[in-house]
Amino acid sequence: MSSDRHFPIRSFAVSIVLVAFAAASVYLSYELVVKPRLALQEQIREQKGTILKLEQEKQRLEAYLKILKRIDRRARVEVLRQAKDQQGSLQTTIRFTEVDDAGKPVNAARELTLPGQEVYFDTLVIKFDDHFVEQGDPIKGGALMLFRRVFSSTMRAEDGFTIDKDGQVPEVYTERQATSEFEKDLWKRFWELANDEKLAKERGVRAIHGDAPYMRLEPDRVYEICLRSTGEVIITPGTRMAPPSGD
């Protein structure tokens, strides 16, 4: 009878050992196999999310870089002559022509003679918020520029040659597409917008100001004045003029 009483105890002890072993096996399996696998799966999901965000950012930056390279308005400046007059003052004669992306004139060329060699190209520029540019908004998707006047360092700006009329939409824009009331209002109220931050923001304007880059012109050279869609006004380095056809 004594042995009969001890038998259940040994069986119970064995059962406990087996259960403990099974629990330990399950725990070890979870810690060594399942848990690392779950962590790896989570890491893969996070990496996929990061890759997707990076790809989206890459596409946005590529689109923006294309925008940076786009020219919204350009003019060609040819230095036709540069010589001293009877009083011994240097005179520079240029031909100013607005051109399209292919270099074809979009309006009549103008010949201007200015005293001196350093010539300023006075402009008014309107720049819109970046998201309009990135989205390619039909009106606000690029910068706008008015060629106000051309003058030299040896003359008063007020005595310069007028290109576009103040307060009006530049002719080059009206020729390319129908001018909206929004654009007309921008140019009509240019200086009002320039001095009223709230009013400018309501119209999506990021910056609005004058910009007058200048160049020391050399004879028989051709330069280009370009407006990037981001609002940067640049003058390209001069290149030698092509000789007249037949020479």
Side-chain angles (χ1 to χ4, degrees):
M1 293 183 61
S2 176
S3 61
D4 291 341
R5 285 197 299 271
H6 286 292
F7 177 75
I9 294 174
R10 288 198 300 270
S11 179
F12 180 71
V14 171
S15 297
I16 290 176
V17 172
L18 291 174
V19 169
F21 180 78
S25 298
V26 171
Y27 174 76
L28 289 174
S29 296
Y30 177 79
E31 289 294 323
L32 298 177
V33 179
V34 177
K35 190 175 180 179
R37 183 177 297 172
L38 291 174
L40 180 60
Q41 290 174 346
E42 179 62 25
Q43 186 178 7
I44 291 172
R45 280 195 294 269
E46 290 178 356
Q47 289 178 344
K48 286 182 178 179
T50 301
I51 291 171
L52 178 60
K53 290 180 181 178
L54 289 174
E55 184 64 29
Q56 291 173 341
E57 181 65 13
K58 177 188 174 185
Q59 292 175 358
R60 189 187 72 82
L61 290 174
E62 286 176 346
Y64 195 68
L65 285 173
K66 289 181 181 178
I67 292 169
L68 285 175
K69 296 177 181 179
R70 196 181 76 212
I71 302 299
D72 285 345
R73 193 173 181 186
R74 72 174 72 213
R76 182 169 61 233
V77 176
E78 301 165 274
V79 183
L80 304 178
R81 292 181 298 280
Q82 201 169 65
K84 292 182 178 180
D85 60 14
Q86 294 180 348
Q87 287 72 40
S89 299
L90 185 67
Q91 302 290 317
T92 299
T93 299
I94 64 173
R95 180 187 294 126
F96 183 95
T97 313
E98 279 215 62
V99 296
D100 60 17
D101 292 339
K104 296 180 179 179
V106 296
N107 51 26
R110 295 183 59 181
E111 286 195 15
L112 313 171
T113 299
L114 305 99
Q117 191 174 13
E118 292 182 358
V119 176
Y120 289 76
F121 301 92
D122 189 12
T123 69
L124 299 180
V125 181
I126 301 175
K127 309 173 188 180
F128 296 101
D129 290 330
D130 288 342
H131 68 272
F132 290 116
V133 179
E134 292 173 9
Q135 294 167 4
D137 186 275
I139 296 177
K140 302 177 185 178
L144 300 174
M145 179 176 71
L146 180 148
F147 276 115
R148 193 179 185 193
R149 58 196 169 196
V150 180
F151 62 94
S152 72
S153 58
T154 59
M155 64 188 295
R156 297 193 315 160
E158 293 81 1
D159 296 331
F161 295 91
T162 299
I163 303 298
D164 295 323
K165 296 179 181 178
D166 275 349
Q168 297 182 22
V169 179
E171 288 184 11
V172 66
Y173 294 136
T174 61
E175 292 173 358
R176 292 177 184 173
Q177 58 187 15
T179 305
S180 67
E181 291 301 319
F182 175 76
E183 290 177 89
K184 292 178 181 178
D185 187 64
L186 286 177
W187 293 113
K188 183 178 180 181
R189 305 174 68 183
F190 183 92
W191 292 115
E192 183 182 352
L193 287 166
N195 288 282
D196 190 330
E197 182 182 17
K198 181 175 181 295
L199 191 63
K201 283 185 175 180
E202 289 174 354
R203 285 157 176 74
V205 173
R206 172 173 59 89
I208 179 168
H209 54 79
D211 194 348
Y214 71 95
M215 175 66 75
R216 182 175 180 176
L217 302 180
E218 297 287 346
D220 300 321
R221 292 291 189 277
V222 181
Y223 307 84
E224 278 197 349
I225 308 167
C226 303
L227 171 70
R228 293 186 180 275
S229 57
T230 52
E232 180 186 13
V233 183
I234 63 172
I235 302 177
T236 63
T239 58
R240 184 169 297 279
M241 288 179 61
S245 57
D247 283 8

